[in-house]
Amino acid sequence: MSLRFFINEQEQHVEDFAPETTLLNYLRQIGLTGTKEGCGTGDCGACTVILRQGDTLETLNSCLCPIGALDGAQVFTVESLASNEGLHPVQQAMVDLHASQCGFCTPGFVMSAAALYWQQQSVTRDDVLEALGGNLCRCTGYRPIIDATLAACNAEKKEPAPTHHTRTPNAAPSAAYALPQSLEQATAIKQAQPEITVLTGATDYGLALTQTLEQPAAILDLSRIDSLKQWQLESNTLTLGAGLSFTALESIFAKHLQSAVPLLKRIGSRQIRNRGTLGGNLGSASPIGDLPPLLIALNAEVQLCAHDGSRWMSLAAFFTGYRTTQLQPNELITAVRFALLNNDETLHCHKISKRHEDDISTVLTCLKLKHQGNTIAGAKLGLGGMAATPIDAQVTAEAILELGLNQSWLPTLTERITEDCSPMSDARASSEYRIHSACGTLERTRLELIHA
Ligand SMILES: Cc1cc2nc3c(=O)[nH]c(=O)nc-3n(C[C@H](O)[C@H](O)[C@H](O)COP(=O)(O)OP(=O)(O)OC[C@H]3O[C@@H](n4cnc5c(N)ncnc54)[C@H](O)[C@@H]3O)c2cc1C
Ligand code: FES
Ligand code: FES
């Protein structure tokens, strides 16, 4: 049992490691101190590195990634970019266009920019904004950083993508870290050790490691189970594996559920979307998770799987209280399924947060409407950020159905929404703000529909 992976093409062989060891801590222990720690919470991007798996090159926040997750993988840090011939083109552009002052954020920006450089032949300003959305700079100002990235990524590509080493991951890189490749193995481990800490992308659980300094006795990491990354479309029902990342969902939704794509692009940053998963979004049962309100509006069902069988249940019934669910100790979340929109149905999602990129919802509304000519024949509403759980807002949806499109929804919905939930007041917003902004987004949907 040991952990083997590659950093900047050098094989790492780690005989013994604590399950809570993050990639960032490891990098700094071995002297690769170019990668910085800013926040330790996935918010600043100073710790960004590139992970190569198969043909894909993607960025991730090394501060949140347990090293056990990396068995057989290939990681590139900022130290890998420059060569004897000089700086990497994105580094050179940062120098030429004065895109760095204190430089603390710079390694992270450079890694996000380098991933974009290798991923796309040419880029637009929007591509750059999206790629850099998870990186914060406090002193240079973003314009020169964006200009440098644009210039480097649109120049003739002289720097080939790093080479790829393959190595089959070890199902147990340490006694305390299980990295199974089949669901069968994973459910057997969960059956035998129901208390084991489960994670997939660790973008939520990673915070327990860096903020509350949790030291799990053992980890069951589901991120290498290919069957959980599958999806299928059968007679208009879309079934999504729980291990699909937000980035993977973006391309599936682009084909089959376009009206949900803008919401996906507002989830976390590119680094978070590359690692964070559907199963983790439901498993964390957070009141501000963005997929539950969407999936509630779509009447989705969730699949829970134990070693001796599986069951499907309505997602709306899955959440039982603040961060509690119907998941039994021997079960894992394996899939979600829902019917795609029919031609007479529309979906309207509005997320309100303090920062456009990389911020969680203060309020999220996801409304599915069924239309019959100019009248509304059906309404289903999921609310996020409002209460201890995601809400299936049946009273508000019923009011929308009764009101139709020809009168303002605001006065009635502002009253009725409190029958669905008692919105909380916290550091993000007051209860009144939540009520008014949720109803405001719904009224906006009405106005968009009548002026369409
Ligand atoms: C900076 C930052 C920004 C973020 N922004 C957003 C945002 O805008 N919107 C949003 O919704 N979320 C956001 N998140 C939260 C997080 O990224 C998501 O909830 C993500 O979906 C978690 O997925 P994961 O695979 O990383 O989960 P993990 O961290 O691996 O796990 C989270 C929880 O789910 C459980 N779990 C994971 N997989 C399974 C499974 N298959 N079966 C059973 N239980 C499981 C784990 O036990 C754990 O309790 C953000 C997080 C950070 C750090
Ligand atoms: S240190 Fe800030 S995102 Fe990792
Ligand atoms: S250059 Fe100082 S924080 Fe970005």
Side-chain angles (χ1 to χ4, degrees):
M1 258 183 220
S2 68
L3 173 70
R4 282 169 188 259
F5 65 114
F6 297 90
I7 298 181
N8 305 338
E9 308 203 30
Q10 300 286 314
E11 186 163 6
Q12 310 291 310
H13 189 171
V14 192
E15 278 300 338
D16 198 20
F17 63 95
E20 65 271 18
T21 311
T22 63
L23 173 59
L24 178 61
N25 284 342
Y26 180 76
L27 291 175
R28 298 187 64 85
Q29 276 161 24
I30 62 169
L32 291 176
T33 51
T35 309
K36 305 295 183 216
E37 176 163 13
C39 61
T41 57
D43 291 290
C44 77
C47 66
T48 303
V49 299
I50 293 176
L51 180 68
R52 177 153 198 165
Q53 270 177 325
D55 287 337
T56 60
L57 280 171
E58 54 186 31
T59 50
L60 66 86
N61 297 119
S62 61
C63 66
L64 297 179
C65 181
I67 52 163
L70 297 172
D71 202 78
Q74 232 189 328
V75 173
F76 293 93
T77 69
V78 69
E79 287 86 355
S80 69
L81 293 184
S83 67
N84 290 340
E85 275 95 71
L87 294 177
H88 184 280
V90 295
Q91 292 174 307
Q92 191 59 53
M94 294 284 274
V95 175
D96 294 343
L97 295 171
H98 312 287
S100 176
Q101 287 185 61
C102 80
F104 197 83
C105 67
T106 309
F109 272 103
V110 162
M111 293 310 282
S112 290
L116 186 65
Y117 175 96
W118 283 314
Q119 280 158 351
Q120 282 182 223
Q121 265 312 313
S122 63
V123 303
T124 62
R125 194 167 192 277
D126 281 349
D127 295 331
V128 171
L129 293 185
E130 198 179 298
L132 303 183
N135 294 82
L136 289 181
C137 175
R138 293 293 182 226
C139 43
T140 299
Y142 293 98
R143 196 206 26 87
I145 301 175
I146 294 166
D147 288 350
T149 309
L150 263 172
C153 292
N154 284 333
E156 190 195 337
K157 298 280 161 70
K158 292 188 180 140
E159 197 61 42
T163 47
H164 177 38
H165 298 279
T166 39
R167 210 186 140 270
T168 312
N170 191 337
S174 89
Y177 205 99
L179 193 60
Q181 284 154 67
S182 77
L183 185 59
E184 177 81 12
Q185 288 170 332
T187 51
I189 295 169
K190 192 75 168 98
Q191 184 77 33
Q193 303 173 61
E195 300 306 319
I196 195 165
T197 297
V198 173
L199 58 81
T200 309
T203 59
D204 188 72
Y205 183 71
L207 298 180
L209 303 180
T210 63
Q211 302 308 294
T212 48
L213 306 183
E214 212 165 283
Q215 296 184 322
I219 285 180
L220 169 57
D221 180 332
L222 309 178
S223 64
R224 296 301 182 86
I225 303 177
D226 279 342
S227 64
L228 294 182
K229 298 178 194 172
Q230 306 301 313
W231 64 278
Q232 63 180 33
L233 178 59
E234 228 174 61
S235 358
N236 207 40
T237 297
L238 186 63
T239 304
L240 300 168
L244 286 164
S245 67
F246 293 120
T247 298
L249 291 179
E250 268 175 72
S251 52
I252 299 168
F253 284 7
K255 284 195 206 115
H256 300 293
L257 189 63
Q258 271 185 11
S259 40
V261 173
L263 173 63
L264 280 178
K265 289 188 182 295
R266 292 284 308 280
I267 294 181
S269 57
R270 179 52 66 207
Q271 292 91 320
I272 293 290
R273 295 198 292 277
N274 285 340
R275 298 295 291 170
T277 63
L278 168 61
N281 208 246
L282 306 184
S284 62
S286 157
I288 42 74
D290 283 333
L291 293 182
L294 169 70
L295 295 170
I296 286 171
L298 293 166
N299 254 324
E301 292 182 307
V302 57
Q303 186 186 43
L304 310 177
C305 191
H307 199 51
D308 55 2
S310 66
R311 58 184 174 131
W312 286 95
M313 68 180 305
S314 139
L315 185 69
F318 176 66
F319 302 104
T320 51
Y322 180 71
R323 289 200 178 254
T324 58
T325 68
Q326 300 262 17
L327 193 71
Q328 295 302 304
N330 64 342
E331 287 178 320
L332 298 169
I333 301 166
T334 42
V336 163
R337 69 179 177 201
F338 55 85
L340 289 176
L341 299 178
N342 289 320
N343 288 341
D344 59 353
E345 291 174 330
T346 54
L347 177 73
H348 311 268
C349 303
H350 291 289
K351 170 168 172 168
I352 295 181
S353 58
K354 297 203 170 192
R355 179 176 157 198
H356 191 270
E357 285 92 10
D358 211 358
D359 198 5
I360 54 179
S361 292
T362 305
V363 168
L364 171 63
T365 60
C366 295
L367 176 65
K368 186 175 97 166
L369 292 175
K370 186 176 171 60
H371 303 269
Q372 215 167 57
N374 288 334
T375 58
I376 297 176
K380 181 87 180 156
L381 175 63
L383 296 176
M386 300 287 279
T389 59
I391 301 291
D392 177 8
Q394 296 180 12
V395 177
T396 315
E398 188 62 32
I400 289 173
L401 197 58
E402 283 163 16
L403 288 163
L405 290 175
N406 295 328
Q407 53 180 314
S408 169
W409 290 354
L410 267 181
T412 311
L413 297 197
T414 313
E415 274 178 23
R416 304 291 291 278
I417 201 166
T418 53
E419 292 175 46
D420 280 317
C421 58
S422 308
M424 52 196 173
S425 287
D426 61 14
R428 287 186 172 266
S430 65
S431 144
E432 291 75 22
Y433 176 91
R434 286 192 157 93
I435 292 172
H436 288 288
S437 52
C439 296
T441 64
L442 296 171
E443 175 66 1
R444 176 175 160 184
T445 297
R446 185 187 77 84
L447 292 169
E448 281 167 357
L449 284 169
I450 57 174
H451 294 297

